[in-house]
Amino acid sequence: MRSVKIGILGLGTVGSGVYELLRHNGNLLESRSGVRVEVAMAVDLDASKKRELGIPGAVFSTDAADVIANPEVQIVVELIGGTSIAKELMLRAFQEGKHVVTANKALLAEHQAEIFGAALESEVDLGYEASVGGGIPIIKTIREALVGNVIRRVMGILNGTTNFILTKMTREGLDFESALRTAQKLGFAEADPTLDLSGGDARHKIVILASLAFNTAIDIGKVYVEGIEHIHKRDMQYAEELGFVLKLLAIAERLEEGVLVKVHPTLIPSDNPLAAISWEDNAVMVDSDFLGKSMYYGKGAGKRPTASAVVADIVDIARRIACGAGYDRGSYSFSQKLTQLSFNRSRSRYYLRFFVLDRPGILSKISGILGENDISIASVIQKETEEEHEHVPLVMMTHVAREADIVRAIEAIDKLPEVEGDSTIIRVIDGE
Ligand SMILES: NC(=O)c1ccc[n+]([C@@H]2O[C@H](COP(=O)([O-])OP(=O)(O)OC[C@H]3O[C@@H](n4cnc5c(N)ncnc54)[C@H](OP(=O)(O)O)[C@@H]3O)[C@@H](O)[C@H]2O)c1
């Protein structure tokens, strides 16, 4: 039996899960893969991790440099997180000719060219299954199972915190603040939840998926992102009456002119399979030319699901090392040069909600402005006045329109004296 030695950097939530999985299921892994994975070094700043996890003294260190310098370590497992020290260590590992496995979506999305370029230059493998969808094997699926397919669209619920909050608002009628507090109390939202709520975390993940699916580099700066902080339970209720469920979707589409990558709250029909993905769960739907639509669902974060994905990457690379195969260059060369389109070019149906004075003529003024901007209305519902409110909610669903046209029209509508405050725009994915 060949044995492959690894070094783990960071023994926090995911790192400790990886150490435990390798200890508990090591024999199973060996019998299934024909390779023994040995932890040569495990590093954390906090020395108490050694006792907590029962790590032998000769294996534990508080200095990450020990892993990079150790000639026995063939695979470095980076589970520190962040984009500073983790990046430095990863680049040094590549220079030393070591393969790397990571769960670090922020680093891969924000420094894509540098990290993937350095791995290619050093001719080493980079495993990153755990960076998207936690335990869901979506990277392997796109890379291997769908390798013969042209991928048209990848669309998913990629953030458990926001999905938990939106589920709470939908099912229990809570407002955003109360749903967030519950999520924090139950450990589904961080004390500082900004990255999750703003859509930033989902944006990291869709950048990684889009570059793999379309085999092209993706510039995170050109990815449209809108979070859920401004979502009002009132709009979720109106949308429900129309047969839609609100989800934070990350979407990457291959269009004729290029690729479009975006993250925003989206209304989806209640019979769409993604509508059933509730609480902290994640799911990714892939639309490809030969397979058609397929969906992958499961736990998108957490110690054990994420460790499961990290270990799968370790074993993949260990197998290649054991049988003398070269590194897997095709997985991240992103060799196509596709134009990344601006969000202005996005097209979808729209849910629009205005607060208007209940006066004759206002509906024709609004529909006139929409018409001038090439937007046609599919349905209109005027709701009852809310308590002590002079203005009434007016809800419209449009046919497919262009983002740039909608933005222009709403700007004009919001200037009408009969319209109060900023109107709400929510993109709608129909039964395509
Ligand atoms: N948690 C999840 O469910 C999840 C899911 C998917 C992906 N990920 C990704 O996985 C990575 C790790 O996340 P995590 O939740 O496990 O984070 P975490 O719990 O904060 O663990 C990070 C660990 O690294 C240690 N560390 C920090 N600087 C170090 C250094 N210079 N040398 C050695 N150890 C150092 C930290 O020690 P101290 O605490 O003493 O600073 C901590 O124990 C991140 O990239 C994250 O985005 C996490």
Side-chain angles (χ1 to χ4, degrees):
M1 173 96 48
R2 269 290 306 264
S3 114
V4 170
K5 292 198 166 58
I6 69 166
I8 305 176
L9 299 177
L11 295 163
T13 307
V14 183
S16 62
V18 168
Y19 191 81
E20 285 168 8
L21 195 163
L22 289 172
R23 206 174 44 197
H24 290 137
N25 292 350
N27 291 340
L28 176 76
L29 275 177
E30 266 181 52
S31 63
R32 278 185 169 163
S33 66
V35 191
R36 185 196 310 273
V37 174
E38 275 180 52
V39 180
M41 295 223 74
V43 177
D44 199 279
L45 295 178
D46 178 359
S48 72
K49 294 280 168 61
K50 181 175 127 196
R51 191 175 36 82
E52 222 175 87
L53 292 164
I55 301 172
V59 169
F60 185 82
S61 167
T62 52
D63 186 356
D66 290 347
V67 167
I68 311 294
N70 186 330
E72 286 201 319
V73 170
Q74 293 156 289
I75 306 174
V76 171
V77 184
E78 184 282 305
L79 298 168
I80 291 174
T83 53
S84 49
I85 180 75
K87 179 176 158 206
E88 206 178 291
L89 291 166
M90 207 184 275
L91 294 175
R92 276 166 53 199
F94 292 151
Q95 279 163 9
E96 294 297 322
K98 298 181 192 301
H99 306 282
V100 171
V101 170
T102 185
N104 196 332
K105 56 231 165 188
L107 182 54
L108 297 183
E110 290 175 22
H111 300 274
Q112 187 179 69
E114 187 177 359
I115 297 293
F116 287 99
L120 274 176
E121 200 172 304
S122 301
E123 303 192 351
V124 291
D125 268 317
L126 173 57
Y128 54 99
E129 181 65 70
S131 64
V132 182
I136 306 171
I138 186 63
I139 300 288
K140 202 176 180 62
T141 298
I142 294 178
R143 199 178 58 198
E144 296 179 16
L146 298 178
V147 69
N149 284 247
V150 173
I151 296 180
R152 293 183 284 239
R153 180 159 73 174
V154 179
M155 172 165 89
I157 294 169
L158 296 178
N159 182 266
T161 302
T162 44
N163 203 40
F164 182 92
I165 291 170
L166 293 175
T167 305
K168 203 84 187 154
M169 290 172 76
T170 306
R171 302 253 174 110
E172 297 171 22
L174 294 191
D175 61 26
F176 173 77
E177 290 300 334
S178 319
L180 169 60
R181 273 197 302 277
T182 310
Q184 283 172 319
K185 219 182 299 163
L186 296 174
F188 293 120
E190 311 240 349
D192 177 4
T194 316
L195 189 66
D196 294 311
L197 302 183
S198 66
D201 175 71
R203 176 163 73 159
H204 285 149
K205 294 167 181 168
I206 196 68
V207 165
I208 294 170
L209 288 184
S211 44
L212 186 65
F214 306 134
N215 192 26
T216 193
I218 297 290
D219 176 355
I220 191 168
K222 293 186 184 159
V223 176
Y224 177 76
V225 65
E226 181 183 315
I228 65 161
E229 308 96 323
H230 63 285
I231 292 294
H232 199 286
K233 67 175 180 182
R234 157 199 315 125
D235 292 304
M236 299 179 83
Q237 283 158 0
Y238 298 161
E240 197 180 347
E241 290 168 25
L242 295 164
F244 290 92
V245 176
L246 192 131
K247 295 287 179 190
L248 181 71
L249 288 194
I251 304 169
E253 298 170 301
R254 176 80 168 88
L255 306 174
E256 251 173 49
E257 320 86 284
V259 294
L260 183 57
V261 189
K262 53 197 182 181
V263 176
H264 52 63
T266 312
L267 292 178
I268 50 181
S270 47
D271 60 356
N272 182 304
L274 283 172
I277 309 304
S278 305
W279 305 112
E280 75 277 19
D281 285 344
N282 281 204
V284 186
M285 191 183 268
V286 183
D287 189 1
S288 61
D289 63 348
F290 273 68
L291 174 62
K293 281 189 183 134
S294 56
M295 194 165 102
Y296 311 89
Y297 156 76
K299 293 284 168 238
K303 174 174 172 164
R304 292 167 72 100
T306 313
S308 159
V310 170
V311 169
D313 273 345
I314 295 172
V315 172
D316 258 358
I317 297 174
R319 271 178 162 153
R320 273 201 293 278
I321 295 173
C323 69
Y327 71 111
D328 186 11
R329 178 189 176 87
S331 308
Y332 48 86
S333 55
F334 308 145
S335 54
Q336 289 215 64
K337 297 263 171 294
L338 299 177
T339 307
Q340 209 176 320
L341 303 171
S342 133
F343 186 55
N344 275 340
R345 309 273 288 273
S346 178
R347 288 172 66 82
S348 71
R349 292 184 66 199
Y350 287 83
Y351 164 102
L352 308 174
R353 198 254 307 130
F354 310 100
F355 272 121
V356 298
L357 284 177
D358 194 6
R359 284 197 196 136
I362 179 63
L363 186 57
S364 69
K365 272 194 189 176
I366 291 179
S367 37
I369 294 175
L370 293 173
E372 284 160 21
N373 286 285
D374 280 335
I375 301 157
S376 76
I377 301 165
S379 61
V380 181
I381 307 168
Q382 183 167 325
K383 309 299 292 184
E384 292 293 310
T385 318
E386 294 180 3
E387 266 174 52
E388 296 169 22
H389 210 287
E390 198 188 352
H391 294 76
V392 291
L394 180 71
V395 174
M396 288 185 173
M397 291 293 278
T398 74
H399 289 296
V400 172
R402 232 166 50 108
E403 182 70 25
D405 296 334
I406 286 282
V407 170
R408 203 176 323 107
I410 299 303
E411 260 175 35
I413 292 169
D414 282 348
K415 285 187 188 137
L416 295 174
E418 299 91 340
V419 174
E420 187 203 49
D422 288 340
S423 305
T424 294
I425 308 175
I426 307 178
R427 286 97 197 161
V428 179
I429 297 269
D430 234 331
E432 332 136 36

